Amino acid sequence: MEINVKKLEPKQIYKLMTSIIVPRPIAWISTVSKKGVYNLAPFSYFGGISSEPPLIMVSIGSKSPGEKKDTWKNIEETGEFVINMVTKEVLAEMNITALPFEEEVDEFEKAGLTPVPSTVVKPPRVKESPVSVECRRYEIIEIGKMGVVLGEILNVHVRDDILNEKGYVDTTKLEIVGRLGGANYCLITADNTFELKRPDKE
Ligand SMILES: Cc1cc2nc3c(=O)[nH]c(=O)nc-3n(C[C@H](O)[C@H](O)[C@H](O)COP(=O)(O)O)c2cc1C
């Protein structure tokens, strides 16, 4: 079967893309509004795009035509955000923060999560998440209806018990959640990860 994307409606394209580009990591983004309200929401159009400089990208849509999602608006207005990784333990809370709350609503409070001060940026990190990444806006590129946020990584918090003896993060010690199509998710577990060394050239 072949699918001519030019003949699809935007919703069908979204469904197709999100069911074939899998698994996607989830950036659970905390921001603070200009008025000082804490905001938290998940985004899976997310990826690392450069190590020199250390950059990530997150693509954010609108609530309704012309009304940017709060995360996009906050990053545009304040220039700072924190990406918290989602594990199995905080799945239910992550799902609550995906609801379209008004911008006056503190989503940490709504989801029963604990804000902890970050080191170099104003938005707090999520205490219940084992990895939090403090970022500064590098650029926001408006592409079609999306705001593609490029963020520079400034500071990373990693819970001590997930480090190995060499000081690297051992992902098998976490149960990080990935997003699949529709309402489906996957878990990175020790049972499901394996090593694949590159073959020799000769
Ligand atoms: C797992 C997951 C991934 C999501 N990924 C995105 C995404 O990449 N881009 C986007 O615009 N919305 C995404 N959403 C929807 C937003 O989280 C949702 O619209 C949220 O209410 C935005 O909150 P805000 O207005 O506080 O920024 C996702 C939702 C879930 C549950």
Side-chain angles (χ1 to χ4, degrees):
M1 182 190 183
E2 278 184 54
I3 303 166
N4 182 346
V5 173
K6 296 275 178 222
K7 290 188 178 157
L8 298 182
E9 297 293 326
K11 200 165 184 174
Q12 293 173 306
I13 297 177
Y14 166 78
K15 284 197 166 173
L16 176 65
M17 285 181 66
T18 53
S19 59
I20 58 177
I21 304 171
V22 291
R24 294 183 306 287
I26 301 171
W28 201 13
I29 302 189
S30 38
T31 52
V32 190
S33 73
K34 252 187 352 193
K35 288 183 185 156
V37 180
Y38 290 171
N39 193 88
L40 188 61
F43 298 89
S44 66
Y45 275 161
F46 162 50
I49 53 162
S50 158
S51 320
E52 289 183 295
L55 296 182
I56 56 88
M57 65 71 53
V58 181
S59 184
I60 309 178
S62 295
K63 293 184 186 185
S64 55
E67 198 194 354
K68 294 169 181 164
K69 290 188 185 178
D70 297 338
T71 304
W72 179 354
K73 193 173 165 203
N74 290 349
I75 296 174
E76 192 169 74
E77 291 179 352
T78 69
E80 297 183 336
F81 59 104
V82 178
I83 294 175
N84 305 276
M85 296 311 293
V86 178
T87 55
K88 193 171 128 191
E89 288 74 32
V90 287
L91 251 183
E93 288 84 350
M94 180 280 291
N95 219 10
I96 293 173
T97 64
L99 293 171
F101 292 112
E102 299 302 317
E103 60 179 291
E104 298 77 29
V105 174
D106 178 332
E107 282 156 340
F108 277 82
E109 221 171 273
K110 275 279 167 200
L113 292 160
T114 321
V116 180
S118 295
T119 309
V120 290
V121 298
K122 279 217 183 82
R125 59 193 170 96
V126 175
K127 187 180 177 197
E128 290 78 2
S129 170
V131 180
S132 298
V133 181
E134 297 186 40
C135 298
R136 182 195 296 136
R137 182 192 61 226
Y138 185 84
E139 196 178 337
I140 300 179
I141 306 164
E142 289 201 29
I143 301 178
K145 295 188 172 166
M146 307 300 285
V148 179
V149 176
L150 307 189
E152 183 178 0
I153 297 176
L154 302 176
N155 199 40
V156 179
H157 301 259
V158 179
R159 217 173 57 203
D160 292 344
D161 63 301
I162 61 168
L163 295 173
N164 65 17
E165 44 309 325
K166 287 183 183 157
Y168 295 121
V169 177
D170 181 351
T171 19
T172 64
K173 291 189 178 178
L174 295 168
E175 287 189 303
I176 292 270
V177 176
R179 179 102 195 259
L180 306 173
N184 296 316
Y185 292 85
C186 63
L187 274 185
I188 300 172
T189 61
D191 286 354
N192 272 319
T193 41
F194 56 89
E195 196 177 40
L196 180 65
K197 293 241 164 73
R198 292 195 199 175
D200 289 333
K201 217 171 151 204
E202 270 84 57

